[in-house]
Amino acid sequence: FIFDGLLKKKDGIEAIFGEPLNWNRHDDKKNCSISFVKAYDGHDREIWEEMTKFLVNAMMKFENAIKPHLPSIRKELIKKFK
C-alpha cells in the first residue's frame, strides 16, 4: 500500500531526488524496494570518504523526496482499515 502510494508520486519524487530511481514491487515476495545505485569498489579504502558522502547525500535527498507524501499515504491507510 505504501509502495503504491509512493509510486503514484514517482515523477515528483524523482524530480526532487534529482535522478531516476529503481522501483521494484516484488509481487512474488512480501517486500518492495525503491533504490538508487552507484557502482563503487567497496574494498578500495581510498574512496571510502567519497562513497560515504555519496550515501549520506543520497539518503538525505531520498528522505526529502518521499517525506512530503507520507502523511497523505498514512491517512489513506488509516481510512482503508477503519
Side-chain angles (χ1 to χ4, degrees), residues 38-51:
K38 183 172 182 176
Y40 278 104
D41 176 5
H43 298 288
D44 182 356
R45 291 177 183 244
E46 291 183 19
I47 64 166
W48 281 7
E49 185 175 346
E50 175 189 345
M51 188 170 56

Side-chain angles (χ1 to χ4, degrees), residues 8 15 37 39 42 51 61 75:
K8 290 177 188 174
V37 178
M51 188 170 56
K61 289 189 332 182
K75 286 179 186 177

